Amino acid sequence: MTRLTCGLKRVFPPATVPFMLMLFILALAGSLPQARAAGADSAYTKIRLEACAQIETASEEGTFGGAWECPGYQGQAVYVAEGDLRMFISFGPFAADEPAAGQTLPNFNTVNETLEWRLDGGTPVATILRWFPSLDDGASTGSVLIVTQLKPGGGTCQIARVDAQANSNANVMARQAADTLAGTFDCAEPPRILGQPGILQW
């Protein structure tokens, strides 16, 4: 028997339509982070203290090394401070008041001068910076990529960390975190540890 299928229209029962609509909405919502990541790009600036304006001087007791405001991507302010041999990096017009200004790694540390800005449609939404924490032997350093979301008004904070020595694809992981988490991360939560924790098992 030959079945005629050409020209037939499939009609869904009324009860099926809301279910199909729900599936469509869920599929669309699930594609949003990927769509944003597909349009993401990077720009790079340098952190050079000699080119920055010092906004706070070192304390007399020596535990605070000072604070600087440095130029960032398209005029974004970069706050750089050093205290107790640890770095603090924040961003925005009131960078010193953002949560990021109080975040650092437990060990003594320094930071790389190259700062990566993750862009969404040309607008910076996050940064990625390499930090160098001292290891327990005191003679060597680790390498940690820290992702910071840019959300002025109390939402600029570290959102992810990845040990670059324990994860061969650390750069990819950091960019994925920047592209999918930035803008929605709750600064009341600790930064996420990505991949193999390595030295991030404090």
Side-chain angles (χ1 to χ4, degrees):
M1 180 183 297
T2 302
R3 296 187 179 182
L4 299 177
T5 57
C6 296
L8 294 178
K9 179 185 286 187
R10 185 177 181 184
V11 179
F12 293 101
T16 309
V17 175
F19 176 72
M20 297 297 290
L21 180 61
M22 181 180 68
L23 287 180
F24 173 76
I25 293 173
L26 290 174
L28 179 62
S31 69
L32 290 179
Q34 288 83 350
R36 174 176 168 182
D41 198 4
S42 288
Y44 300 87
T45 59
K46 297 289 186 180
I47 299 176
R48 296 192 176 104
L49 294 186
E50 62 271 19
C52 304
Q54 187 166 14
I55 56 178
E56 291 185 72
T57 58
S59 62
E60 293 184 1
E61 62 271 18
T63 56
F64 179 69
W68 294 260
E69 184 176 292
C70 304
Y73 179 73
Q74 292 187 344
Q76 289 259 359
V78 180
Y79 172 86
V80 181
E82 185 272 318
D84 196 22
L85 301 180
R86 296 170 177 83
M87 302 301 295
F88 300 85
I89 310 292
S90 187
F91 307 91
F94 304 102
D97 299 323
E98 297 286 352
Q103 293 178 302
T104 189
L105 295 174
N107 291 16
F108 298 148
N109 59 72
T110 59
V111 297
N112 194 26
E113 69 171 17
T114 300
L115 178 62
E116 179 176 359
W117 302 76
R118 289 301 284 174
L119 313 177
D120 180 19
T123 300
V125 296
T127 63
I128 302 172
L129 183 63
R130 190 178 299 271
W131 295 54
F132 304 107
S134 63
L135 300 182
D136 292 338
D137 60 12
S140 55
T141 59
S143 179
V144 175
L145 295 179
I146 293 185
V147 184
T148 301
Q149 78 176 358
L150 305 178
K151 197 174 180 182
T156 296
C157 61
Q158 295 181 11
I159 62 176
R161 298 172 177 177
V162 53
D163 185 331
Q165 295 175 338
N167 297 275
S168 60
N169 60 337
N171 287 313
V172 173
M173 296 169 67
R175 288 173 184 143
Q176 287 177 340
D179 298 340
T180 58
L181 297 178
T184 62
F185 189 84
D186 183 358
C187 291
E189 299 294 324
R192 296 188 184 181
I193 307 301
L194 307 179
Q196 296 296 323
I199 63 171
L200 294 175
Q201 303 179 88
W202 308 110

